[in-house]
Amino acid sequence: MNNDTVTVVIPTLQKNKAVLYNLIDILSEDNTVEEIIVIDNSLEGIELHNPKLNIITPNTNMYVNPSWNMGVKMAKSKIVALFNDDISIPKSFCSNIIQQMKPDMGIIGISSDSILAIDDFSGNPQNTNPVVIRTNYMDNYYGIALFFYKQIYIQIPDEMKIVYGDVWLFNNLQKSGKQNYKITNQILYHIGSLSSGDKKYNKICKNDAKIFKKLYVKWYHRIFSKEETWYGWKFRILGITFVIKKKNTRRYCNE
């Protein structure tokens, strides 16, 4: 039995306080959750009092990836989880995942089959005993909840503000020889895309994509590389990228 505890890090813009406060309540009831670090990038303040809750209000919006870096650095627990603020989870969700974790594992994210997109918050999903299985690629929605041992965390470059942080972690851990995993057999509710889906952040997200490619895609990858994704196989040959799609998948614009 794994007796480790987890620190949950949640950057938020407080687009939906009911969803955020519910998430904090569910997490605080879980015995394996040692602390909940909420980074309030809305700068509005949070009117909650909970012995597990540590609210950080920066001087300015730090954005998601720098918030993750700071939260992981501050975490007291051996295990860290990075959560979106727009999800609803079942009771004991963290406990169920931690029981399946071992220090030699890479990062654990969410299978796309485990996500139910809803328009409005209407409660929490039922616990259906999640199962952690191996994966060699990220599903869509993979990064809305990530689990890993703090010791394996690879700092996300400061220049990348909102997106590609999960891709950076997944790819670099995989490159280092770690086996990554995903969570199946458990529905989580995803209430829209409350933060990064805002159009005013499009310019930053596009810049993040350019920075990621500059830092991660080396010159020799442009000559030839092969990568499995959730929607198919991506090939780069002499600077040209093309995809052989898997059956019954739809590519999303942010991929």
Side-chain angles (χ1 to χ4, degrees):
M1 180 178 290
N2 191 337
N3 295 317
D4 290 327
T5 59
V6 60
T7 291
V8 181
V9 178
I10 311 173
T12 184
L13 289 174
Q14 295 202 69
K15 296 290 186 178
N16 189 322
K17 291 185 179 182
V19 174
L20 174 63
Y21 287 15
N22 173 76
L23 179 59
I24 292 171
D25 286 343
I26 293 294
L27 289 169
S28 66
E29 294 173 3
D30 193 323
N31 291 332
T32 62
V33 176
E34 181 176 0
E35 61 174 340
I36 306 163
I37 299 176
V38 176
I39 300 173
D40 179 23
N41 285 321
S42 75
L43 315 180
E44 296 175 2
I46 296 175
E47 297 179 1
L48 282 180
H49 301 283
N50 187 300
K52 293 185 178 182
L53 185 60
N54 182 7
I55 301 171
I56 307 298
T57 305
N59 293 325
T60 187
N61 185 355
M62 293 179 61
Y63 301 109
V64 176
N65 295 331
S67 296
W68 282 1
N69 286 337
M70 184 175 74
V72 174
K73 186 176 181 179
M74 294 177 59
K76 299 176 183 177
S77 311
K78 289 184 178 180
I79 296 174
V80 179
L82 306 175
F83 277 27
N84 274 28
D85 66 347
D86 55 4
I87 60 174
S88 175
I89 63 174
K91 293 183 178 180
S92 302
F93 177 63
C94 289
S95 292
N96 289 333
I97 302 305
I98 289 171
Q99 292 307 312
Q100 302 177 62
M101 292 181 66
K102 297 178 181 179
D104 63 345
M105 297 170 73
I107 201 164
I108 302 170
I110 306 296
S111 168
S112 59
D113 295 337
S114 295
I115 298 299
L116 179 60
I118 60 177
D119 293 328
D120 297 302
F121 174 66
S122 58
N124 301 300
Q126 295 296 311
N127 188 326
T128 53
N129 298 318
V131 178
V132 174
I133 64 172
R134 295 182 177 212
T135 184
N136 294 323
Y137 57 87
M138 291 177 56
D139 286 0
N140 198 49
Y141 295 114
Y142 185 89
I144 70 169
L146 299 169
F147 291 81
F148 51 89
Y149 276 86
K150 180 177 178 177
Q151 64 187 21
I152 71 166
Y153 187 76
I154 300 173
Q155 179 98 354
I156 302 168
D158 292 337
E159 309 97 297
M160 292 166 51
K161 301 301 183 183
I162 297 176
V163 294
Y164 281 89
D166 51 355
V167 184
W168 176 268
L169 295 171
F170 187 99
N171 288 6
N172 279 289
L173 286 169
Q174 188 178 61
K175 186 178 178 181
S176 73
K178 293 288 186 182
Q179 174 63 59
N180 295 319
Y181 292 78
K182 63 182 178 181
I183 298 165
T184 64
N185 196 48
Q186 177 61 70
I187 293 297
L188 304 185
Y189 296 153
H190 182 245
I191 301 90
S193 183
L194 300 175
S195 300
S196 62
D198 195 321
K199 290 182 179 180
K200 69 181 181 181
Y201 298 117
N202 283 354
K203 185 176 180 180
I204 297 175
C205 292
K206 288 180 180 179
N207 189 57
D208 287 347
K210 290 180 181 178
I211 294 169
F212 173 80
K213 290 176 182 178
K214 181 179 179 180
L215 293 174
Y216 189 80
V217 180
K218 306 301 182 183
W219 65 268
Y220 47 83
H221 291 147
R222 301 182 189 279
I223 297 174
F224 178 79
S225 66
K226 180 178 70 173
E227 177 187 359
E228 186 179 7
T229 70
W230 69 273
Y231 53 82
W233 286 94
K234 181 190 293 185
F235 294 87
R236 294 186 185 92
I237 300 176
L238 299 177
I240 300 173
T241 302
F242 65 94
V243 175
I244 299 177
K245 292 185 178 180
K246 296 176 181 177
K247 293 181 179 179
N248 301 320
T249 60
R250 178 167 64 91
R251 187 170 181 181
Y252 287 72
C253 61
N254 62 344
E255 280 293 322

